[in-house]
Amino acid sequence: MSTIDQTKERLLEAAGRVFAERGFRSATVREICHAARANLAAVNYYFGDKERLYVESVKRAHSRRQEAAPMPDWSPETPPDVRLRDFVLTMLKRILGDPQCDWQAQLMFREMQQPTAACRELVEEYIRPHFELLQAIIGELSPAAMTDQQIRLVAFGIVGQCLYFRVAEPVVRQLVEQSEFAQVEPRRLAEHITRWTLAALGRQEYVLPECVTGQRPKGAT
Amino acid sequence: MSTIDQTKERLLEAAGRVFAERGFRSATVREICHAARANLAAVNYYFGDKERLYVESVKRAHSRRQEAAPMPDWSPETPPDVRLRDFVLTMLKRILGDPQCDWQAQLMFREMQQPTAACRELVEEYIRPHFELLQAIIGELSPAAMTDQQIRLVAFGIVGQCLYFRVAEPVVRQLVEQSEFAQVEPRRLAEHITRWTLAALGRQEYVLPECVTGQRPKGAT
DNA sequence: TATTGTTTCAAACAAATGTTTTATGCGGGT
DNA sequence: ACCCGCATAAAACATTTGTTTGAAACAATA
């Protein structure tokens, strides 16, 4: 019993990494089994075929990511701007995560761009609730004149900003210097995006205090 | 001579579509040749091997996209907010394009996420100049207190918002209703993102006139 | 110890796929 | 008429790859 779970577990872990790096089709069962220190036939033994292993590994990656960075449960009187900041930070933590679990996010992005029929349910069960939560938060922060459609666009904009740093990471890394890229991390980005959003909504000015940016203002002597 | 270019051309076109849809590894030479109405050996005859065909097709897709939606050359006295709007609109046109040339954008995104060594030059020759142009425009619109690092974050944010609708298209399509998704098109998005940015910079209020959104304000009778 | 169910392993198979080869048709120049 | 360069076509080749198979190793149990 225990040995079953061990190899099955190693297989899921290794499959996640390999699928994330190579994509479903390009990943080979042989590479996965080798990475999992398992025999070639193990995949078919435990999962039937390559595709079911893929589905399982995607689900696994997602749940791991979610429990690694859970959404905080706010008290009823938590102000919406705090909730916005928490939401963005949580999202960024899940997306950028530590490089150790990097593949989990990568794997989900692949799935988002070319959804497998089996995994499309992820959107309904997981993404849509989060997206509606974000819309609700923005709605509370917005003037009454904002339409639902506008709120949706704002929500997409926030998500897009978060995702960009992960999805186009190689490009970002090449565009900014190494030292600056190292500072692209969840807390700083969440602060920027939150302030940026609040400023656009007319809630406050967009000014990042020096202690956060670690840089002097332009033109300062 | 003319026939040479014809099949070579068809090969490049077909390869672009197939590579965009399936990725380099998953795309088969047979499928490409079939789509191009060419013989199986044509790829090796004209390009040597599959990989060089891929590189050529990426370059081709990129230049096609660029000439399809060129950056306007502004007169010196064009105000920065107009330039921002133009920049965003041009970018969105290239990204969202008409569904006919959809694969060109798709292909470049694949390349951005998993850069081939041969194609990494695209960033230097093409993306970096555009990125610096965007930074310059934002710089003109920003208060002097903004640091270069903050400007870069803002620029990444704008690019991220634009890319999101394309990169996560399947998800967006599933999240919003069909009728609303049809309205996700360059002009409307450019208007939203530009106004949003200007509002965050304290340049103007973020209010989209009804004639643009086509929706009545929340709570209107 | 013998038995039974489970897991691992090495080998083999069949299909897919990138590449090469060889042959065929075609046009123009000598 | 003959030859030569070039484009196309069909077949063949060598790998790769997902999957299957049958035996061996192992653990638990009676």
Side-chain angles (χ1 to χ4, degrees):
Chain A
M1 282 294 173
S2 68
T3 55
I4 302 182
D5 299 337
Q6 277 184 16
T7 40
K8 202 172 176 182
E9 208 68 18
R10 268 178 303 157
L11 230 35
L12 277 172
E13 170 92 5
R17 293 180 188 275
V18 177
F19 280 136
E21 191 174 336
R22 302 231 191 287
F24 172 73
R25 186 92 184 273
S26 304
T28 74
V29 176
R30 280 172 172 80
E31 185 179 0
I32 292 171
C33 288
H34 179 75
R37 302 192 312 278
N39 185 268
L40 174 59
V43 163
N44 299 71
Y45 178 74
Y46 283 109
F47 299 94
D49 59 9
K50 184 185 176 186
E51 187 165 3
R52 254 168 299 175
L53 169 62
Y54 175 74
V55 174
E56 290 297 317
S57 68
V58 169
K59 287 184 177 173
R60 165 64 52 100
H62 159 248
S63 65
R64 282 280 182 280
R65 213 73 217 98
Q66 196 159 6
E67 65 198 32
M71 223 22 109
D73 47 344
W74 300 291
S75 76
E77 66 266 15
T78 306
D81 59 322
V82 171
R83 287 210 293 261
L84 177 63
R85 200 178 314 264
D86 286 348
F87 184 96
V88 173
L89 179 59
T90 304
M91 188 173 192
L92 283 167
K93 276 183 184 168
R94 285 182 190 171
I95 291 173
L96 299 176
D98 66 313
Q100 199 72 9
C101 306
D102 201 32
W103 57 274
Q104 294 171 345
Q106 176 87 14
L107 186 55
M108 293 187 60
F109 290 144
R110 282 194 183 277
E111 196 53 31
M112 285 172 60
Q113 285 170 71
Q114 296 198 317
T116 309
C119 292
R120 195 167 296 217
E121 60 194 56
L122 274 191
V123 172
E124 289 306 322
E125 293 182 2
Y126 163 66
I127 296 183
R128 187 186 293 281
H130 280 77
F131 186 66
E132 278 168 0
L133 172 59
L134 177 58
Q135 285 184 92
I137 296 174
I138 296 170
E140 287 186 63
L141 288 165
S142 303
M146 287 268 279
T147 67
D148 287 347
Q149 201 178 70
Q150 289 174 336
I151 290 177
R152 245 187 301 277
L153 285 180
V154 174
F156 278 133
I158 290 176
V159 176
Q161 289 184 65
C162 292
L163 253 54
Y164 180 75
F165 291 94
R166 186 62 191 69
V167 126
E169 188 198 294
V171 175
V172 174
R173 200 182 282 271
Q174 194 176 344
L175 278 180
V176 305
E177 291 163 25
Q178 182 58 35
S179 60
E180 184 172 339
F181 183 80
Q183 298 183 345
V184 176
E185 41 86 37
R187 214 172 302 269
R188 191 181 304 264
L189 284 181
E191 191 62 32
H192 159 71
I193 293 175
T194 305
R195 284 176 179 269
W196 185 253
T197 304
L198 293 175
L201 288 170
R203 283 307 188 107
Q204 63 173 53
E205 295 278 315
Y206 172 77
V207 182
L208 235 46
E210 275 193 48
C211 60
V212 174
T213 68
Q215 237 198 15
R216 338 196 89 217
K218 208 169 46 180
T221 54
Chain B
M1 284 293 175
S2 67
T3 53
I4 303 180
D5 298 337
Q6 277 183 17
T7 41
K8 202 173 176 181
E9 209 67 18
R10 267 179 304 160
L11 231 34
L12 277 172
E13 170 91 5
R17 292 180 188 276
V18 177
F19 280 136
E21 191 174 337
R22 304 231 190 286
F24 173 74
R25 186 94 183 271
S26 304
T28 74
V29 175
R30 280 172 172 81
E31 184 180 1
I32 292 171
C33 288
H34 180 75
R37 302 192 311 279
N39 185 268
L40 173 60
V43 164
N44 300 71
Y45 179 74
Y46 284 108
F47 299 93
D49 59 8
K50 184 185 175 186
E51 186 165 5
R52 254 167 300 175
L53 169 62
Y54 175 75
V55 173
E56 289 297 316
S57 68
V58 169
K59 287 184 177 174
R60 165 64 51 99
H62 159 249
S63 64
R64 283 278 182 280
R65 213 72 218 101
Q66 193 160 9
E67 65 198 30
M71 225 18 112
D73 47 345
W74 299 291
S75 75
E77 66 266 14
T78 305
D81 58 324
V82 172
R83 288 211 291 262
L84 177 63
R85 200 178 314 264
D86 286 347
F87 184 96
V88 173
L89 180 59
T90 303
M91 187 174 193
L92 283 167
K93 276 182 183 168
R94 285 183 190 168
I95 291 172
L96 299 176
D98 66 314
Q100 199 72 9
C101 306
D102 201 33
W103 57 274
Q104 294 171 343
Q106 177 87 13
L107 187 54
M108 294 187 60
F109 290 144
R110 284 194 183 278
E111 196 54 32
M112 284 172 60
Q113 285 169 72
Q114 295 197 315
T116 308
C119 292
R120 197 168 294 220
E121 60 194 56
L122 275 190
V123 172
E124 289 306 322
E125 294 182 3
Y126 163 66
I127 294 181
R128 187 187 293 281
H130 281 77
F131 186 67
E132 277 167 0
L133 172 60
L134 178 57
Q135 285 183 91
I137 295 174
I138 296 171
E140 288 187 62
L141 288 164
S142 302
M146 287 268 279
T147 66
D148 287 346
Q149 200 179 73
Q150 288 173 337
I151 290 178
R152 245 188 302 276
L153 285 181
V154 173
F156 279 133
I158 290 176
V159 177
Q161 289 184 64
C162 292
L163 254 53
Y164 180 75
F165 292 94
R166 185 64 188 71
V167 128
E169 189 197 293
V171 176
V172 175
R173 200 183 283 272
Q174 194 176 344
L175 278 180
V176 306
E177 290 164 25
Q178 182 58 34
S179 60
E180 184 172 339
F181 182 79
Q183 298 183 346
V184 176
E185 41 87 36
R187 214 172 301 269
R188 191 182 304 263
L189 283 181
E191 191 61 31
H192 158 72
I193 293 175
T194 306
R195 284 177 179 268
W196 185 254
T197 305
L198 293 176
L201 289 170
R203 284 304 190 111
Q204 62 172 52
E205 294 279 315
Y206 172 77
V207 182
L208 234 46
E210 276 194 44
C211 61
V212 175
T213 67
Q215 237 197 17
R216 340 195 90 216
K218 209 170 45 180
T221 52

